[in-house]
Amino acid sequence: MFDTTPQLDCAGRPLKLDRPRVVGIVNVTPDSFSDGGEHATVDAAIAHGLKLAEEGADALDIGGESTRPGADEVSTDEEIARVVPVIERLAKETSLPIGVDTSKPEVMRAAVAAGAGMINDVYGLRREGALDAAASLGVPVVLMHMLGEPRSMQDDPRYDDVVADVHRFLAERIFAAEMAGIAKKNIVVDPGFGFGKTREHNLALLAQLERFGELGVPVLAGLSRKRTIGDLTGREAPRDRVFGSVAAALIAAQRGAMLLRVHDVAATIDALKVWNAVAAVPMPRKA
Ligand SMILES: Nc1nc2ncc(COP(=O)(O)OP(=O)(O)O)nc2c(=O)[nH]1
């Protein structure tokens, strides 16, 4: 009997989507909003990736350029120098699917050559050459919504209807990806929490996350340690936003997210274990 459970084939490393899966974040950056500088060196990032794998992450996402509002641009060479050694070592020392969080085609190619099996692009493959690079690499892609550019996206984000607008954008990016030769089974979408959104926009997107399931591809949610969590909980420091982040991850899972991109892997996995146990309980037939 064929196993019909959807899964992503990340360069030979399967990521089964039979239940919400946890993607651990490894930022090899000096200035990430969430953990800037904590894992900025290659060795520190590798150690952090191994720790997240130990904690039970289902996949890792390696980023070499901060995408926070106002972040400094990183050159292609610098970004490659940051992520490739980390990807190489983590691909060797773990059996986890490894994503690269980049928008640059050259970084995508170098990362996949080093062992990455998924491309996570906050620009939704809109940069010059990105669609063709991703199509030629043949690995799953995460298409995320962002309003404008990181530098200015939070200045004064406005939408007619944020859920409908983001939904339309993602539908267009799925179409563009398929036209470029990316198979639909290799496409994941992400509403891009915090990428040109106010707190109200982020809450509307989370409340109506199920709408994105209509696009026919898995949904990834990345709320971990973000400003909206901080605003709601009064936790100024990102590392103090674990409980709020876990709550948001659970809500996203309940509303259809199959991939949860988080910093706090162990805490999120514990919460999902409780959620999965309850989700597995057979419910009595409705009369
Ligand atoms: N698909 C996806 N990718 C993302 N990459 C970075 C960040 C920002 O978070 P972080 O990586 O912790 O910070 P920084 O970009 O400052 O490194 N958020 C997302 C997200 O929500 N979705």
Side-chain angles (χ1 to χ4, degrees):
M1 182 63 179
F2 283 113
D3 179 355
T4 54
T5 311
Q7 73 174 30
L8 298 172
D9 177 1
C10 302
R13 297 186 180 197
L15 183 50
K16 275 186 93 164
L17 300 181
D18 53 332
R19 56 181 164 82
R21 295 291 181 168
V22 173
V23 181
I25 300 168
V26 181
N27 287 320
V28 203
T29 55
D31 59 345
S32 287
F33 88 91
S34 48
D35 53 13
E38 283 177 24
H39 327 295
T41 66
V42 165
D43 287 343
I46 290 164
H48 187 62
L50 293 173
K51 174 175 172 284
L52 297 185
E54 272 297 300
E55 291 181 4
D58 297 299
L60 298 174
D61 189 33
I62 318 299
E65 178 180 34
S66 171
T67 54
R68 67 171 171 54
D72 297 333
E73 292 259 319
V74 173
S75 73
T76 299
D77 290 347
E78 171 62 20
E79 195 174 337
I80 288 174
R82 288 179 180 179
V83 300
V84 163
V86 176
I87 291 167
E88 268 170 357
R89 280 281 299 285
L90 290 174
K92 256 193 215 106
E93 299 191 25
T94 77
S95 58
L96 292 181
I98 293 176
V100 60
D101 186 351
T102 187
S103 307
K104 301 187 181 80
E106 305 86 341
V107 179
M108 293 173 191
R109 290 197 182 89
V112 171
M118 184 157 62
I119 292 167
N120 170 26
D121 184 2
V122 299
Y123 277 82
L125 297 177
R126 284 179 293 151
R127 279 192 154 166
E128 182 69 31
L131 268 177
D132 291 340
S136 65
L137 292 165
V139 296
V141 297
V142 179
L143 305 177
M144 195 195 82
H145 173 270
M146 169 169 25
L147 188 68
E149 300 282 332
R151 226 183 340 282
S152 57
M153 65 187 177
Q154 288 305 114
D155 292 352
D156 180 17
R158 291 170 187 268
Y159 300 83
D160 294 335
D161 168 340
V162 63
V163 174
D165 293 359
V166 172
H167 190 282
R168 186 178 321 109
F169 172 91
L170 293 174
E172 285 162 4
R173 295 317 298 158
I174 291 171
F175 179 76
E178 289 191 276
M179 288 300 106
I182 297 173
K184 189 156 189 181
K185 68 177 173 56
N186 272 349
I187 296 175
V188 175
V189 291
D190 175 351
F193 291 101
F195 285 85
K197 281 96 177 179
T198 63
R199 175 165 81 172
E200 288 62 35
H201 294 145
N202 288 320
L203 291 175
L205 287 166
L206 182 53
Q208 297 183 56
L209 196 66
E210 280 164 329
R211 285 281 312 280
F212 297 97
E214 297 160 5
L215 293 164
V217 296
V219 174
L220 181 146
L223 285 137
S224 183
R225 299 188 181 183
K226 288 193 174 168
R227 168 151 304 286
T228 290
I229 305 293
D231 290 351
L232 293 169
T233 58
R235 304 289 181 185
E236 187 48 39
R239 71 173 57 80
D240 294 338
R241 299 173 183 167
V242 179
F243 301 130
S245 298
V246 169
L250 217 43
I251 293 167
Q254 285 181 307
R255 298 182 194 214
M258 289 310 288
L259 293 165
L260 302 164
R261 184 180 179 277
V262 305
H263 303 86
D264 307 290
V265 167
T268 307
I269 285 184
D270 277 3
L272 286 175
K273 280 179 177 165
V274 177
W275 183 76
N276 283 323
V278 174
V281 173
M283 297 302 281
R285 283 182 186 286
K286 284 204 173 58

